[in-house]
Structure formats: C-alpha cells, structure tokens
C-alpha cells in the first residue's frame, strides 16, 4: 500500500510577521513535489496569519490544543478555535510538551481523542530520551506512548505518528537511517498486533530529530519512513529540499 509522503514543519516558538512572511513567500514560490503532503506548525498567535498567507496546497497545524471545547483555561486553545482559523491539523505529545511542560501520556491521549472528535488531523509524537535509548528500553517507551494514543483513536486516517528520539531533537544528532527504520518497523509491527493490519499498512510514521537538507534523502529512502517532522530547518529555505527529498 503506498502511503503519501508527509512533511511537517514545526516552527515552535519562532518567527514574527516579517520573517514568517519571507518564509511563506519562499514556500509559495518554490517548486515542491506534488506527491508530498506538507503541513506547517505555526505558533497559535500566527495560525490565522499563516493560513491566510500560505498557498492552499500547504496545510497548517497548531502546535498544541486542550482537551475540551471551551472554558476557564487561561492561555489554552481548543480544536474548535483552531478549525475556526481554517486550520486542520494539530501537533500533540511533542517531547517539549512532555518534558518541558510536564504533559502526561494520559493528557496527550485525552487531547488526541478530543482533537479527532472535532475533525482535526493529529500529528502524534512519541520518542525516547537518551538514557532510555542507552538503557535499552526504546521499544518499551515508544510502545507505551503509542498505546495511550491508539486507545484514543477511532479513525486512523486522520493520524500521523511522528517518531522523534528526544536525544536527536535540536542537538544536531540524528538517528541513523538504520536506527530510524528499525524503530519505525517495530512500531508498524506493534500496530499490526495491537490495532489491525490495515492500520499498520496505511498509517504514516514520520521521523523527527535534526532532519536537514543533508540527512533527508537517505532517511526518506527507508521502507518505513513516510516523511518528517522538521524543527529548525523548517524555518530555512532548505525546508524545500526536505519536502523534495524523494525527487
């Protein structure tokens, strides 16, 4: 089964209207592979701005959302608000949400359920820390994180699973193509056993962690790597190279 290659750009807490306008103009003017689904994760304050400026062929994602539609939750945004800005995706469970802001697996599962119920596509992030990788418990960690997400998913067509080894995010270290492929393959086996064979074959598992123009081609050639979630490089012109990794 062919899975459409997916490249997400996570802008994190970066950019202003001037710099994002320049980035968006570069993207809109570039020749990008039409067989790749591209989604840019903008800071919540710029969701409307990004959606109004980016070419319609590119998607936009919020970088987080809460688990209920509205209420007394200062500083949070809901899937309904995200949709109201014309935005159709949300990134959930990113390692920075887990490890900087202390979000639990349970909360990420609840957010995933609510986002999907409200028609958002979810880029659900999982990944192990360096001590977990060195301790030989990578599979145990990512399977546990995946299970909480899977327990909250009814329609897998709206979910992209992003494997992001925490030790490779923003560190300049990248998992080797073989390391990435190995975990992606194991994740697909887990989905086959615990969800269904059709979901295992169809769900896109993308890799994140210091993906650059230099590393993207070899990573993209791995059988179970269906795209990327790109951090710092998504703010630079090389993001186009990454989108076109399969060309």
């Amino acid at each position: 089964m062919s899975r459409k290659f997916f490249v997400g750009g996570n802008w994190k807490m970066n950019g202003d209207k001037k710099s994002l306008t320049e980035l968006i103009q570069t993207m809109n003017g570039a020749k990008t592979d039409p067989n790749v689904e591209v989604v840019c994760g903008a800071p919540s304050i710029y969701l409307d701005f990004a959606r109004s400026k980016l070419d319609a062929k590119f998607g936009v994602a919020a970088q987080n959302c809460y688990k209920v539609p509205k209420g007394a939750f200062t500083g949070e945004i809901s899937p309904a608000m995200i949709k109201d800005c014309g935005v159709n995706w949300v990134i959930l469970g990113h390692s920075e949400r887990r490890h900087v802001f202390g979000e639990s697996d349970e909360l990420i599962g609840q957010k995933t359920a609510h986002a999907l119920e409200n028609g958002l596509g979810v880029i659900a992030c999982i990944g192990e820390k360096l001590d977990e990788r060195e301790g030989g418990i990578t599979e145990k960690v990512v399977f546990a994180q995946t299970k909480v997400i899977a327990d909250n998913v009814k329609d897998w067509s709206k979910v992209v699973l992003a494997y992001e080894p925490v030790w490779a995010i923003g560190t300049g270290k990248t998992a080797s193509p073989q390391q990435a492929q190995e975990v992606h393959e194991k994740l697909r086996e887990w989905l086959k056993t615990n969800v269904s064979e059709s979901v295992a074959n169809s769900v896109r598992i993308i890799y994140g962690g210091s993906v650059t123009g230099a590393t993207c081609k070899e990573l993209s050639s791995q059988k179970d790597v269906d795209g990327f979630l790109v951090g710092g490089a998504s703010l630079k012109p090389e993001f186009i190279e990454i989108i076109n990794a399969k060309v």
Side-chain angles (χ1 to χ4, degrees):
M1 179 170 204
S2 75
R3 297 179 292 267
K4 189 170 188 177
F5 207 71
F6 185 102
V7 177
N10 182 6
W11 297 348
K12 305 190 181 182
M13 196 178 73
N14 291 299
D16 52 29
K17 285 186 179 176
K18 182 175 180 291
S19 66
L20 293 178
T21 296
E22 289 167 11
L23 174 66
I24 289 166
Q25 284 171 345
T26 300
M27 287 185 65
N28 288 349
K31 192 173 185 308
T32 53
D33 184 346
N35 300 311
V36 175
E37 186 169 3
V38 180
V39 174
C40 293
S44 57
I45 199 164
Y46 296 132
L47 284 172
D48 224 341
F49 177 81
R51 183 61 285 167
S52 66
K53 301 278 187 193
L54 263 174
D55 193 298
K57 69 184 176 191
F58 300 122
V60 176
Q63 296 175 13
N64 190 29
C65 70
Y66 200 49
K67 62 180 182 179
V68 294
K70 60 182 180 181
F73 301 103
T74 302
E76 291 290 339
I77 60 171
S78 69
M81 293 170 176
I82 293 166
K83 296 265 298 193
D84 197 37
C85 292
V87 171
N88 295 317
W89 287 91
V90 63
I91 301 169
L92 292 174
H94 191 279
S95 66
E96 288 150 9
R97 299 302 316 172
R98 293 176 187 271
H99 303 305
V100 180
F101 300 103
E103 291 189 6
S104 65
D105 285 351
E106 184 188 19
L107 176 61
I108 292 157
Q110 291 166 338
K111 289 180 176 191
T112 299
H114 184 62
L116 290 168
E117 281 160 13
N118 284 271
L120 288 179
V122 173
I123 302 166
C125 304
I126 55 173
E128 81 284 10
K129 295 186 292 194
L130 184 59
D131 60 333
E132 293 165 337
R133 159 73 60 168
E134 290 174 344
I137 57 167
T138 292
E139 285 173 40
K140 183 183 170 193
V141 171
V142 297
F143 290 169
Q145 292 171 344
T146 305
K147 181 180 188 316
V148 180
I149 290 160
D151 287 347
N152 286 283
V153 176
K154 292 187 180 79
D155 178 6
W156 280 91
S157 69
K158 304 280 284 186
V159 178
V160 172
L161 207 51
Y163 168 59
E164 295 203 305
V166 182
W167 49 271
I169 298 174
T171 58
K173 288 181 183 173
T174 312
S176 70
Q178 294 71 31
Q179 284 174 317
Q181 166 58 24
E182 185 185 358
V183 177
H184 284 225
E185 189 176 2
K186 295 266 173 55
L187 281 166
R188 219 174 282 290
E189 285 170 15
W190 186 93
L191 289 166
K192 184 176 173 180
T193 306
N194 295 278
V195 183
S196 75
E197 187 164 7
S198 64
V199 165
N201 290 335
S202 63
V203 77
R204 291 173 291 183
I205 307 176
I206 64 175
Y207 171 76
S210 301
V211 177
T212 64
T215 59
C216 64
K217 277 223 181 294
E218 201 185 345
L219 281 162
S220 74
S221 70
Q222 304 300 309
K223 182 167 80 77
D224 289 295
V225 175
D226 303 316
F228 305 116
L229 186 55
V230 185
S234 69
L235 292 156
K236 302 172 186 168
E238 76 180 294
F239 189 49
I240 306 301
E241 282 177 63
I242 297 169
I243 294 169
N244 293 333
K246 298 287 265 187
V247 175

